[in-house]
Amino acid sequence: MQIDSNHNYEIYPASFKDSNGDGVGDIPGIISKLDYLHDLGVNVIHICPHYQSPQVDMGYDISDYEDVYRPYGTVDDVQALINETHARGMKINFDLAINHSSGHHQWFLESRSAKDNPKRDWYFWRPAKWDAEGNRQLLNNWRSHFNIPAWTWDEETEEYYLHVDAPEMPDFNWENEETRRAIYNPSMVFWLENKYSKDISFPDADITDLGEVTQPAERHYNNGPRIHKFLGEMKEILIVMFVSSSSGQLNMVFNYVLMSLGQKKEKGQKSRSPFNIPAFKEMSRWQHFASNSVAWVTLFLENHDSPRSISRFRSDASVEMQVTSGKMLAMLMATMTGTLFLYQGQERGIKQCKGDKICLKNELDELWETARDHARLPIQLDSGPNAGFTVKGVKPWMRVNDDWKIQNVEVQSRNPLGLLSFWKRMLKTRQEYKELFVYGSYKSYSTEAEELFVFTKEAGKLKSLTVVNMFGKEQRWEGAAIIFGDNCRILVENIGGGSTRGETLSAWEGRVYITTL
């Protein structure tokens, strides 16, 4: 099932490159770095929302789907980006949020103006409930992703409207066909979250947080009963025309289960669950969906809403560990089946800010450890002022990371043994052996040491074996020969000196073996 062997690179426009000296990244800045991305081995760039927006949620609150947020540029700038991307043989995806609009969108302004407005039903409006004493009550106990009630009272028309995100981001009513058709009309190319279909009986959510007025309600507003109809309509109108002729509703979806590891509190816990290697390995079960032609999968460790993967999944305690463990993760991701996504800076092992130095200063440790602000710091391009993100004397919209003098494109580009060079090698290898690494069938192997992640891939007469030590201490391993015999060779390794026989793997060591059947 060959769908997509592309190497995707997610760009957060505000933090990528400032071309005009106002401290905010922009579209021309992205254009100026396309050669860098092409040289890295990227063939698809994925742009986070660049549309006109009040920026309550950094562009995911869209007030005009057909215009550009002015600090980022103009429609002509976007066309230039498209042209320059295509000129390098690359593709481009635009991230489009369509579960909701901005409260400043003209559609919502009309919907909010009167109960009998033609667009009133384009959003979810409901009357209040009243208790025995005549006090106004919420429609139900749903909690938004912003940890506040998912219903906001509107004084003008005296009804509540639904927002599963911020109050400034009212949800579209996808049950209304006229609304859906209006949403389809703007330039829709890509979307992230399938929250369009909701349980419109609006039942209360199960009580999981005792003593709280609102409760997590994702099961009622994510992937509702009519989501397949809605996605089918999107594919009919848009995807078949612009993206794919294959059957089914979507080419692929993002699976965020891996991203939640070590991030969220489990039921009954007072604090978040720490990251653990067995849970990470268990997530590889999704590989079997692709291998068995059930569904296609995405591969990613970072995005604009997550902390940095080096700090989360492995070690940033020293530059050496940062590079070694970063190479280990690169080998792991580049040899798995699916479509690979990198987030800006991941290819250089950008790590988290530390403690009270992050922009979320003075907050609890758990907050800054899991904050998405880590991923949104300006990209470090060189060792000059502001790490080359913007010109000298201009304050960036968010400060640069502390390690900018050594962890930047200019410095790493000169180091053939660095993580940037290694990612280039892995992307080139993945493309060279794409039938094996992108599309090959996957099989995992259990080992005595749970810190080892071992799996094989097979395609035609080729077979590979990936083994990585995901722990900061050496681990005993039986060796590749126990699976492949002596008929194999090391294709890639991050430390060197490996063999096929039983031996000890150093901290963060990884190898990829290959053989011919």
Side-chain angles (χ1 to χ4, degrees):
M1 181 177 63
Q2 295 197 0
I3 295 179
D4 196 342
S5 61
N6 292 316
H7 301 145
N8 296 260
Y9 191 95
E10 182 185 350
I11 293 175
Y12 198 67
S15 298
F16 194 70
K17 172 61 179 174
D18 173 22
S19 70
N20 59 4
D22 64 358
V24 179
D26 47 46
I27 302 299
I30 297 173
I31 295 174
S32 72
K33 298 301 175 183
L34 287 176
D35 287 339
Y36 163 74
L37 298 177
H38 184 268
D39 184 54
L40 174 62
V42 168
N43 44 26
V44 179
I45 58 173
H46 176 95
I47 311 296
C48 289
H50 60 279
Y51 312 96
Q52 190 62 264
S53 166
Q55 299 292 306
V56 169
D57 191 26
M58 291 302 296
Y60 282 91
D61 51 316
I62 300 171
S63 58
D64 189 340
Y65 289 94
E66 299 180 353
D67 201 359
V68 178
Y69 179 52
R70 283 294 170 261
Y72 291 169
T74 65
V75 173
D76 288 341
D77 290 330
V78 173
Q79 186 59 56
L81 173 62
I82 295 171
N83 295 342
E84 292 296 328
T85 301
H86 290 171
R88 290 163 175 79
M90 301 162 66
K91 302 175 184 177
I92 186 168
N93 280 334
F94 292 136
D95 189 346
L96 185 62
I98 51 175
N99 171 72
H100 51 260
S101 73
S102 163
H104 291 274
H105 196 291
Q106 183 59 36
W107 296 345
F108 185 70
L109 295 178
E110 292 182 40
S111 179
R112 195 176 199 172
S113 64
K115 290 182 180 180
D116 59 355
N117 185 275
K119 289 186 174 62
R120 184 68 171 185
D121 194 44
W122 285 32
Y123 298 83
F124 291 106
W125 292 94
R126 295 293 185 274
K129 290 183 176 180
W130 302 90
D131 63 19
E133 287 74 35
N135 298 310
R136 189 179 73 239
Q137 302 293 318
L138 293 169
L139 179 71
N140 61 17
N141 66 352
W142 289 10
R143 180 186 302 162
S144 79
H145 291 308
F146 282 64
N147 270 334
I148 59 175
W151 297 91
T152 288
W153 181 252
D154 177 58
E155 293 289 350
E156 293 298 318
T157 56
E158 296 186 323
E159 283 191 329
Y160 284 104
Y161 65 88
L162 177 68
H163 54 87
V164 299
D165 293 287
E168 297 87 352
M169 301 158 69
D171 281 40
F172 283 123
N173 178 9
W174 278 71
E175 296 295 325
N176 186 323
E177 183 177 358
E178 186 180 6
T179 308
R180 299 200 303 270
R181 297 296 168 181
I183 294 170
Y184 298 152
N185 285 333
S187 301
M188 181 190 299
V189 179
F190 197 83
W191 57 93
L192 284 177
E193 297 194 49
N194 300 333
K195 297 183 295 191
Y196 321 128
S197 178
K198 300 171 175 66
D199 185 342
I200 59 173
S201 66
F202 298 115
D204 273 338
D206 293 339
I207 305 298
T208 56
D209 292 350
L210 297 178
E212 297 290 333
V213 175
T214 60
Q215 302 290 324
E218 285 87 349
R219 66 184 290 253
H220 295 296
Y221 59 69
N222 278 349
N223 303 310
R226 281 159 53 79
I227 186 64
H228 300 291
K229 173 179 173 60
F230 300 162
L231 295 182
E233 289 178 352
M234 289 186 211
K235 185 173 179 70
E236 176 185 353
I237 294 173
L238 298 163
I239 300 179
V240 169
M241 186 181 300
F242 297 117
V243 182
S244 172
S245 59
S246 61
S247 62
Q249 293 175 335
L250 295 172
N251 288 59
M252 68 191 81
V253 295
F254 286 107
N255 182 355
Y256 283 89
V257 177
L258 182 62
M259 304 299 295
S260 68
L261 292 180
Q263 293 286 91
K264 295 182 178 180
K265 296 179 182 179
E266 300 299 330
K267 187 176 181 180
Q269 290 181 333
K270 293 183 178 180
S271 61
R272 64 188 177 86
S273 301
F275 167 72
N276 69 85
I277 296 167
F280 186 100
K281 291 161 58 176
E282 199 272 333
M283 291 301 103
S284 69
R285 71 182 187 274
W286 297 101
Q287 289 283 290
H288 298 291
F289 283 88
S291 298
N292 297 328
S293 299
V294 175
W296 197 237
V297 295
T298 51
L299 302 170
F300 67 105
L301 291 179
E302 295 184 19
N303 67 12
H304 63 280
D305 273 337
S306 71
R308 289 295 187 173
S309 60
I310 286 287
S311 302
R312 287 185 61 198
F313 301 130
R314 288 311 26 130
S315 177
D316 61 6
S318 69
V319 173
E320 182 181 3
M321 290 185 183
Q322 203 169 339
V323 172
T324 303
S325 62
K327 290 180 178 180
M328 178 272 293
L329 290 174
M331 275 187 284
L332 180 63
M333 298 303 289
T335 56
M336 281 185 144
T337 296
T339 297
L340 181 63
F341 285 78
L342 288 177
Y343 179 68
Q344 60 185 39
Q346 182 180 349
E347 75 278 12
R348 301 192 306 283
I350 301 300
K351 63 180 183 179
Q352 313 255 96
C353 285
K354 293 298 183 182
D356 61 357
K357 293 182 179 180
I358 197 171
C359 51
L360 294 175
K361 189 175 180 180
N362 298 322
E363 295 292 341
L364 298 174
D365 286 349
E366 282 198 4
L367 180 58
W368 72 256
E369 286 179 2
T370 60
R372 61 187 184 179
D373 297 63
H374 294 287
R376 301 184 177 194
L377 301 184
I379 289 302
Q380 300 148 210
L381 299 171
D382 60 41
S383 301
N386 293 317
F389 167 72
T390 189
V391 297
K392 182 179 180 180
V394 172
K395 184 179 180 180
W397 79 278
M398 186 180 283
R399 74 172 187 83
V400 298
N401 209 328
D402 299 317
D403 61 357
W404 60 274
K405 287 190 176 180
I406 56 173
Q407 293 289 355
N408 63 65
V409 173
E410 181 183 54
V411 169
Q412 288 206 23
S413 293
R414 297 196 297 262
N415 182 6
L417 300 179
L419 182 55
L420 175 58
S421 296
F422 192 83
W423 261 112
K424 289 181 181 180
R425 179 184 178 187
M426 287 312 304
L427 294 183
K428 183 177 180 180
T429 301
R430 182 174 173 83
Q431 194 64 30
E432 182 180 355
Y433 292 94
K434 68 179 181 180
E435 296 299 324
L436 180 63
F437 294 135
V438 179
Y439 303 114
S441 59
Y442 170 94
K443 181 180 180 181
S444 61
Y445 285 82
S446 60
T447 60
E448 185 174 336
E450 66 177 14
E451 294 82 3
L452 299 183
F453 195 168
V454 182
F455 61 87
T456 59
K457 301 290 294 297
E458 186 174 338
K461 295 183 177 181
L462 282 178
K463 193 170 185 178
S464 67
L465 169 66
T466 299
V467 53
V468 297
N469 179 9
M470 299 189 71
F471 194 53
K473 294 181 180 180
E474 64 181 28
Q475 301 293 323
R476 182 69 183 172
W477 182 51
E478 294 84 351
I482 197 171
I483 299 175
F484 280 172
D486 292 326
N487 185 29
C488 65
R489 63 183 176 88
I490 293 179
L491 181 65
V492 183
E493 55 186 333
N494 65 342
I495 291 181
S499 71
T500 63
R501 295 294 173 181
E503 56 192 305
T504 297
L505 290 178
S506 301
W508 321 123
E509 185 172 0
R511 301 172 197 159
V512 179
Y513 298 84
I514 195 167
T515 189
T516 302
L517 299 176

